[in-house]
Amino acid sequence: MRLYLMRHGPAIDRDDPDCPAESERFLTPKGIERTREAAAGLAELGIAPAILLTSPLVRAVQTGVIVCEVLGIDPKNLHPTDALKPEARPARIVEELGRATFDEAICFGHAPHLDDFIAHALRASAPITTLKKAAVACLDLQSISPPLGELRWLLTPKILRELGS
């Protein structure tokens, strides 16, 4: 099973006087553009996830919708889950993924939560990645429960943009 983990795109800064509550922070216009360009890189790689999960926080949902649009997937297939909230235990993602059968899935979430999940799936004692905004990690999972996987690649937003251009 292949699992893609994408950190949300660039969002409004917490220090901005117009910044809403944390759960409502949204992608900036530049963040939308950067996310769309990164998604074009994913399209170039030919990813075709059957399962699409997102944190319910606005910036992650927006990222998921953009990726769906670029990949030609109906955004109604994007499923919000509390398992991808920043404060959730990484094992909750395992529980969520264990409810479905899939060849490819993608999750949209936050740092350091996604980095913690990668470490959990690789059985590393500490995080070994630091996903940038709009970056994507690809794991091949031999098993979901308990999670056992291999990091296939990690692409920065810059590399994804270059792939998509």
Side-chain angles (χ1 to χ4, degrees):
M1 295 165 279
R2 182 146 291 172
L3 176 63
Y4 303 97
L5 301 163
M6 184 172 193
R7 184 176 175 197
H8 65 78
I12 187 168
D13 193 272
R14 287 179 182 93
D15 295 332
D16 188 312
D18 294 328
C19 183
E22 184 65 18
S23 64
E24 299 299 315
R25 285 181 53 224
F26 52 87
L27 299 182
T28 63
K30 186 174 183 173
I32 292 169
E33 178 186 343
R34 292 284 172 111
T35 302
R36 191 173 311 285
E37 292 168 349
L42 292 176
E44 194 62 32
L45 291 170
I47 79 161
I51 305 293
L52 299 103
L53 302 175
T54 184
S55 159
L57 278 61
V58 169
R59 58 196 181 276
V61 173
Q62 286 179 297
T63 298
V65 167
I66 291 167
V67 170
C68 285
E69 290 170 351
V70 171
L71 296 180
I73 298 170
D74 187 340
K76 291 179 184 171
N77 292 322
L78 188 62
H79 301 285
T81 174
D82 289 347
L84 286 161
K85 281 185 170 179
E87 66 276 5
R89 292 177 301 107
R92 296 235 6 240
I93 298 173
V94 172
E95 293 165 9
E96 191 70 33
L97 291 171
R99 295 186 180 127
T101 303
F102 64 90
D103 289 327
E104 285 188 29
I106 189 166
C107 295
F108 304 97
H110 312 272
H113 184 245
L114 293 177
D115 298 304
D116 292 340
F117 175 76
I118 292 167
H120 182 68
L122 301 179
R123 298 191 180 165
S125 59
I128 60 168
T129 59
T130 305
L131 291 176
K132 293 180 178 279
K133 292 175 183 167
V136 179
C138 174
L139 301 175
D140 278 342
L141 298 174
Q142 289 78 39
S143 134
I144 292 178
S145 185
L148 177 60
E150 174 180 299
L151 181 63
R152 299 297 296 170
W153 48 257
L154 189 149
L155 297 178
T156 65
K158 181 178 180 183
I159 292 171
L160 286 167
R161 289 192 307 269
E162 288 173 2
L163 284 172
S165 61

